[in-house]
Amino acid sequence: MPPPNALQLLQSIFGYEQFRGRQADIVSHVANGGDALVLMPTGGGKSLCYQIPALMRDGCAVVVSPLIALMQDQVEGLHQLGIDAAFLNSTQTLDETRDVERRFMSGSLKLLYVAPERLLTPRFMGLMESGPVSLFAIDEAHCVSQWGHDFRPEYIGLSVLHERFPTVPRIALTATADALTRAEIVKRLALENAAEFVSSFDRPNIRYRIVEKDNARKQLLDFIEREHDGDVGIVYCLSRKRVEDTAQFLCDNGITALPYHAGLSSDVRARNQTRFLREDGIVMVATIAFGMGIDKPDVRFVAHIDLPKSLEGYYQETGRAGRDGLPSNAWLAYGLNDVMQLKEMIENGQAPEAQKQVERQKLSAMLGLAETVACRRQTILAYFGETSAPCGNCDNCLSPPKTWDATEAARKALSCVFRTGQRFGAGHIIDVLLGKRTDKVEMHLHDQVSTFGIGKDMPEAAWRSVLRQLLAGGYLQTEPEFGGLQLTDLARPLLRGELSVQLRGLPEKKRERAERGQKRSAASLDIAPADDALWQALRSKRRALADAQAVPAYLIFSDATLKAMLDAKPATLAEMAHISGVGAQKLERYGLEFLDVLHAS
Ligand code: ADP
Ligand code: ZN
């Protein structure tokens, strides 16, 4: 039986009409004192799953979060809703700490955020033993997993919570899905008796697109200018150098871009992260060091200009787009060199063979996604064990790629690899196919081999695409030492003519160009031209209110809420109260100001 006031709290405090997905079940389970393990994709709405039980139960919820830098914004978000919340971490003075402890003991605090190392100190343990703890929420619970990439040793110690506080309910939350990690969370946090709530991992508002790379930076700039002028976005790159270069390139072209990678000093990283969170329209160019715990709801695009190493990584990174549920883009540019480079990195790496094997499998799943002609979303969800229908919101659904019978071309390419001795890279193989007399060709007498010039009927780009797909499909592999191309066992039946292959068609330059000028793709907020001035006015009102309090704009109202205001144009405070995201506190604090903006003329 759901506790009677959960929905009422959702509506009055948060201003949302109804629970999403499994939120209602989770809230009532935890509010009734049950333990829970919650797996929900980024943007699914995990926070409410412990925030509402925290409001329903007596005492204070202790929220374990690994990200000190982000606690302040989380707490500020709760203050904006009129909820008494605080955090404890190493950045505070003794006086501040004492004040928080006092509010905790008095029972006035409803939520307290702490880093795990702080939680486990004798002082804090003692405090919790004598004070009113309503529940424990363990955010980013996958940090307990030693196999995951976010491992935090302090998380291991959290098993003590169950021993010391056996009657306090615990809720662990994560967006990382795989079975191994899940089992590890259960074991290490002693959640054997917890109810598991696993949501669909689909993010329907994200449009997935994977394009063939020719000049990644130029393509990226086109993409941003064409579809995301002034929007917030994240661009992921593989190396620090590429982060620096790309950020500079975007800045040179008038886009406010900031770099973020582990090689920058912690000051610079913190400053760039804060600017990304607080200012409008910043593009963060980053390695995968950036992103965990970034709650910014209005990230409109995530672009990858290098191929990620695994589908898990790709999905987690792209998941940072569109947390607010509004249309967003995940855009990836990918080419032959990416495949070569990542394969080489695995083979030349120091990892033991067993781990290399895992890395190869992960890369191969990622390549499968990049090359598929089927629905991207279906392919991704299938990888995570979900079945679904074609989505209608990915590149392959929207304009189904043409395939062609590439058996003949594949045989030419494979036999050219074979004739030249299986030790040369793609560039040289293509030169031989095209019959180019380069120095290297002449030095190795490759103008004498039978495959010299047999590929003149197709342009270089076509051959790159063929080689890339043969590599991705496992007909070719890279040789460990110098990264030269070699045939695999799969190649033999193809060479012997026993097998045919269908490959993805070549990119159509024309079509891309036709799209240009149409401005915004479907993945945008869809503001009618007549409304544009009003939209800008709403945004600048939000900006002014946020600046006055030195908080991020999205903590005042999210884009989704502003858009709902723009569409409904409420005329009174009573009507304003019906806008999704306008709760009692925000109605009182900001309602009139936004009504004034809506009816200024
Ligand atoms: P997660 O932590 O799972 O990534 P959040 O808790 O940050 O997701 O929620 C993502 C966004 O969705 C937030 O802006 C949040 O306010 C909003 N949201 C969550 N639950 C609901 C709901 N039931 N109705 C409307 N918006 C919601
Ligand atoms: Zn699709």
Side-chain angles (χ1 to χ4, degrees), residues 24 87 141 164 177 182 313-314 381 525:
F87 61 88
R164 300 272 287 267
R182 198 190 305 182
Y314 169 75
L381 292 176
L525 296 186

Side-chain angles (χ1 to χ4, degrees), residues 374-378 389-398:
C375 169
R376 307 273 189 203
R377 189 181 315 272
Q378 223 176 5
C391 73
N393 192 26
C394 73
D395 53 356
N396 287 352
C397 282
L398 290 165

